[in-house]
Amino acid sequence: MSPEPSAPIGLVLPGGGARAAYQAGAISAIAGMLPPGRSPFHVIAGQSAGAINAAGLACRAGDFRDAAARMVAAWSRLRVSDVMRTDLPSTGRRALIWALTAASGGWLVENPRSFFDNSPLAEMLAREIDFRGIETAIARGDLGALAVTASVYSGESGQAVTFFAGGPENREWARMRRCGLRGSIGPEHVMASAALPYLFPAQEIGGQFYGDGALRLTAPLSPAIRLGARRLLVIAARDPEVPAIGQMAPSAYPSLAEIAGHMLDILFNDHLDTDLERLTRINRTLSLFAPEQLAETELRPVEVVVLRPSRDLREIAGRHARALPWTMRTLLRGIGGWGGDWRLPSYLNFDSGYCGELIALGHADAMANRDALMELFRDAAPAGDLPPQAAPLSSPEV
């Protein structure tokens, strides 16, 4: 049982640090498959680095090919220094602050806010993304809604907050530890969504401090479905291979870097995989309903296509690791992140060589899945041609 042919299409862009370059390659291939014109996506939802890509696509939704080309160009020329300061004075000063704080119990200096200064990322966002264009795209009907999710740190209300810009048919929502708030999307929302815990500082919005959107978003598909999507394209940042425990070789005690890499894997990928399993189960259950039974419930099937890397991104990261600034290489060696499975560097290496190879892989994987993608885009109605409607629900947990 599938949604009607003209059902709104949503694009879900999860986080992944530097791995989000893969999304740019996949989007570029899709833009080449479709006729020139505005974006085929009625809803674009992003979190963490995926929020950066989402905002870039949304502000130029009137010309999908141009938006895709600009995204590829930005990732292709990216350097680590465009995202965070890695020069010796900056990293040395922060290392000294951390050391003094630990040694003095916080009496000598103020508690540090992060390991890295990501102010260059804010400067890059100002150059690359026209945030005023998001509202323009929605007003023109080129886009239905943009959603950016961040995690609130302040007070006792810790939850995933999805900031969204959209038409009047889109309503705010509140679920367990998740909510959606209407408003204009600006650079502060994207910076908050991409504020990796410990690595980058939290961002203040409306008197509250926010961090990476992947921290608390246990249902990454929810924002796009809440905002009206009935078909989804999800571009993930991890290959699907999971070896069985019995097939794994004995390992040494994990280093700090290995644990940190696994934490990022959990944040960016595990919630997504669980939500996809939930959606598949609900769709299967709905397929057993008779039409009159389905009419009595607000549940509706949601079609989904998932693009995943066909190669292990850790292996690619290992081949490009020496392109990292020497300060980061030193830090990685110090915490046990040099060599091994290269998991942590695969998220942090914002170098054009590594990102360029991920772009090429994303493009190739999208082309290899062309038939599934073209089926998803069958008879797709532009966002502006869609009738106003309340966001359909696909599960009680959406």
Side-chain angles (χ1 to χ4, degrees):
M1 182 171 56
S2 299
E4 60 272 16
S6 61
I9 303 174
L11 174 63
V12 178
L13 299 174
R19 293 186 180 198
Y22 177 85
Q23 298 172 350
I27 291 295
S28 175
I30 293 168
M33 296 177 192
L34 301 175
R38 55 185 171 182
S39 172
F41 300 108
H42 177 64
V43 181
I44 303 176
Q47 63 186 70
S48 195
I52 299 174
N53 288 338
L57 289 173
C59 72
R60 298 183 176 89
D63 190 336
F64 185 51
R65 287 190 176 180
D66 178 62
R70 288 174 180 266
M71 182 189 300
V72 168
W75 280 102
S76 297
R77 60 174 178 265
L78 194 64
R79 300 170 300 173
V80 176
S81 59
D82 292 323
V83 177
M84 51 190 164
R85 299 193 185 281
T86 58
D87 56 282
L88 182 58
S90 177
T91 55
R93 177 177 177 275
R94 286 178 175 267
L96 180 60
I97 290 175
W98 278 94
L100 289 175
T101 299
S104 68
W107 285 98
L108 293 179
V109 293
E110 182 181 359
N111 290 333
R113 295 191 171 188
S114 64
F115 280 110
F116 295 108
D117 173 5
N118 66 341
S119 57
L121 176 59
E123 297 169 4
M124 185 183 69
L125 292 179
R127 294 193 308 268
E128 300 290 342
I129 300 178
D130 176 15
F131 285 91
R132 293 173 300 179
I134 296 170
E135 296 289 346
T136 301
I138 293 172
R140 289 178 177 174
D142 297 329
L143 179 69
L146 168 67
V148 171
T149 300
S151 301
V152 63
Y153 288 143
S154 307
E156 299 178 358
S157 62
Q159 58 184 311
V161 179
T162 297
F163 300 97
F164 70 89
E169 70 275 12
N170 299 128
R171 301 191 296 265
E172 295 186 347
W173 67 86
R175 302 293 291 176
M176 179 62 69
R177 297 288 180 180
R178 292 181 282 124
C179 69
L181 301 180
R182 176 190 297 277
S184 298
I185 302 297
E188 66 276 15
H189 300 95
V190 175
M191 288 290 290
S193 184
L196 287 167
Y198 296 113
L199 297 180
F200 299 148
Q203 300 292 310
E204 183 178 4
I205 301 175
Q208 303 294 322
F209 285 93
Y210 292 83
D212 197 286
L215 281 172
R216 288 191 176 271
L217 186 57
T218 56
L221 307 181
S222 172
I225 296 173
R226 281 273 169 187
L227 294 171
R230 292 281 301 283
R231 289 182 277 176
L232 295 179
L233 171 61
V234 182
I235 307 180
R238 180 173 65 183
D239 66 275
E241 296 298 325
V242 181
I245 293 294
Q247 300 173 349
M248 298 171 62
S251 61
Y253 191 86
S255 66
L256 291 177
E258 288 172 331
I259 294 173
H262 281 284
M263 288 177 60
L264 294 180
D265 251 2
I266 293 168
L267 288 178
F268 296 136
N269 300 295
D270 287 11
H271 290 326
L272 174 63
D273 291 341
T274 300
D275 208 21
L276 286 167
E277 287 182 350
R278 181 188 300 122
L279 181 62
T280 300
R281 184 172 62 252
I282 293 171
N283 281 343
R284 187 179 298 117
T285 301
L286 291 178
S287 70
L288 304 176
F289 282 25
E292 58 273 16
Q293 293 175 310
L294 188 62
E296 295 177 359
T297 177
E298 61 184 5
L299 304 181
R300 295 295 181 269
V302 176
E303 183 179 351
V304 60
V305 172
V306 184
L307 283 180
R308 298 181 186 271
S310 57
R311 294 166 55 196
D312 192 333
L313 302 190
R314 297 172 298 176
E315 177 270 328
I316 300 175
R319 290 191 285 101
H320 292 275
R322 293 194 177 278
L324 285 163
W326 72 269
T327 50
M328 289 193 67
R329 297 199 304 269
T330 301
L331 175 62
L332 286 170
R333 287 191 178 98
I335 61 175
W338 193 258
D341 66 2
W342 300 107
R343 194 183 306 267
L344 185 57
S346 74
Y347 289 105
L348 300 181
N349 191 356
F350 295 93
D351 174 72
S352 59
Y354 173 58
C355 292
E357 191 163 348
L358 298 193
I359 291 170
L361 180 62
H363 191 283
D365 287 347
M367 296 303 296
N369 289 276
R370 179 187 179 96
D371 290 346
L373 289 169
M374 294 310 295
E375 172 63 18
L376 183 73
F377 294 120
R378 65 190 184 279
D379 303 321
D385 294 343
L386 294 168
Q389 57 183 328
L393 304 181
S394 70
S395 85
E397 289 300 317
V398 166

